[in-house]
């Protein structure tokens, strides 16, 4: 396991900052996105008007967005069904099961897909294993569900190693 396995391709403030223009400029035609603390705050499963506006912008630009979450089916469905977003639940990140499932379901080409998430240990690691690019975003809220707290401690250590080698992660407003 090398630190490169956890180093994101891009670092962006929030998923909502991604624009269709920047995605296209980077050859990205489809966005896989984590659910909790990336697309919605883990403790606010109803999302925000900002989320609706971003999803509408992606839909208008013909850029598919698929949620790839480790959560159970009922939780993900409840969070995204009102937005009309497809999803893969029980994705088993950091393994590639969910990412592979989404790519196969839609016939995406791996070089045209990006995975967006707030965790190095799951989202970024899974994207590297799956052979796709990654975007690390800042968590939407500073608290986590109990099962994420363990990963955050490991993540802080890994981030320190990445930053020692490559310098501080510079979160952009776009890619």
């Amino acid at each position: 396991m090398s630190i490169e396995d956890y180093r994101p391709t891009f670092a962006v403030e929030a998923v909502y900052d991604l624009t269709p223009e920047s995605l296209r400029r980077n050859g990205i035609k489809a966005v896989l996105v984590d659910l909790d603390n990336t697309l919605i705050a883990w403790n606010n499963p109803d999302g925000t008007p900002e989320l609706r506006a971003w999803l509408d912008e992606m839909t208008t630009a013909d850029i598919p967005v698929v949620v790839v979450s480790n959560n159970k089916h009922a939780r993900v469905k409840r969070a995204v069904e009102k937005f009309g977003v497809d999803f893969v639940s029980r994705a088993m990140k950091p393994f590639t099961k969910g990412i592979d499932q989404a790519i196969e379901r839609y016939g995406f080409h791996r070089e045209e897909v990006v995975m967006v998430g707030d965790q190095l240990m799951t989202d970024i690691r899974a994207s590297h294993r799956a052979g796709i690019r990654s975007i690390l975003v800042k968590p939407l809220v500073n608290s986590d569900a109990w099962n994420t707290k363990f990963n955050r401690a490991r993540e802080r250590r890994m981030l320190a190693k990445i930053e020692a080698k490559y310098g501080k992660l510079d979160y952009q407003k776009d890619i």
Side-chain angles (χ1 to χ4, degrees):
M1 163 175 92
S2 80
I3 64 171
E4 279 69 28
D5 294 333
Y6 298 92
R7 186 176 179 218
T9 313
F10 305 100
V12 176
E13 293 276 335
V15 69
Y16 311 131
D17 292 329
L18 297 173
T19 64
E21 299 74 34
S22 69
L23 293 168
R24 282 201 192 95
R25 198 170 47 246
N26 284 280
I28 296 165
K29 295 182 178 174
V31 177
L32 307 181
V33 63
D34 178 50
L35 182 64
D36 287 325
N37 268 351
T38 299
L39 201 58
I40 61 169
W42 74 271
N43 55 359
N44 175 17
D46 296 319
T48 62
E50 199 175 20
L51 168 59
R52 170 83 275 159
W54 182 76
L55 290 170
D56 288 347
E57 185 181 19
M58 292 297 132
T59 300
T60 302
D62 201 27
I63 296 175
V65 174
V66 180
V67 170
V68 177
S69 172
N70 285 350
N71 269 299
K72 60 186 188 213
H73 182 90
R75 163 84 171 89
V76 183
K77 181 178 182 195
R78 179 180 177 273
V80 303
E81 69 182 341
K82 67 184 142 303
F83 297 108
V85 177
D86 195 17
F87 64 90
V88 174
S89 57
R90 297 203 184 275
M92 296 178 64
K93 295 173 295 183
F95 302 104
T96 64
K97 175 186 174 273
I99 291 173
D100 292 340
Q101 210 175 321
I103 288 171
E104 287 160 24
R105 182 183 298 169
Y106 289 96
F108 296 146
H109 296 285
R110 288 182 192 270
E111 65 277 3
E112 298 174 340
V113 176
V114 71
M115 175 74 207
V116 183
D118 68 306
Q119 290 189 63
L120 293 175
M121 308 314 286
T122 54
D123 306 310
I124 304 307
R125 179 68 180 115
S127 64
H128 284 293
R129 281 183 165 156
I132 64 172
R133 288 177 283 176
S134 60
I135 300 173
L136 181 68
V137 295
K138 292 181 176 177
L140 288 175
V141 292
N142 288 323
S143 65
D144 284 303
W146 67 269
N147 55 342
T148 303
K149 291 183 190 303
F150 173 75
N151 272 349
R152 291 285 184 206
R154 292 180 59 222
E155 181 174 65
R156 282 189 292 278
R157 289 193 299 275
M158 183 56 68
L159 187 58
K161 290 177 184 176
I162 290 170
E163 291 184 337
K165 184 170 181 177
Y166 296 103
K168 189 152 175 54
L169 268 187
D170 185 17
Y171 288 89
Q172 305 290 311
K173 284 305 271 178
D174 207 346
I175 59 171

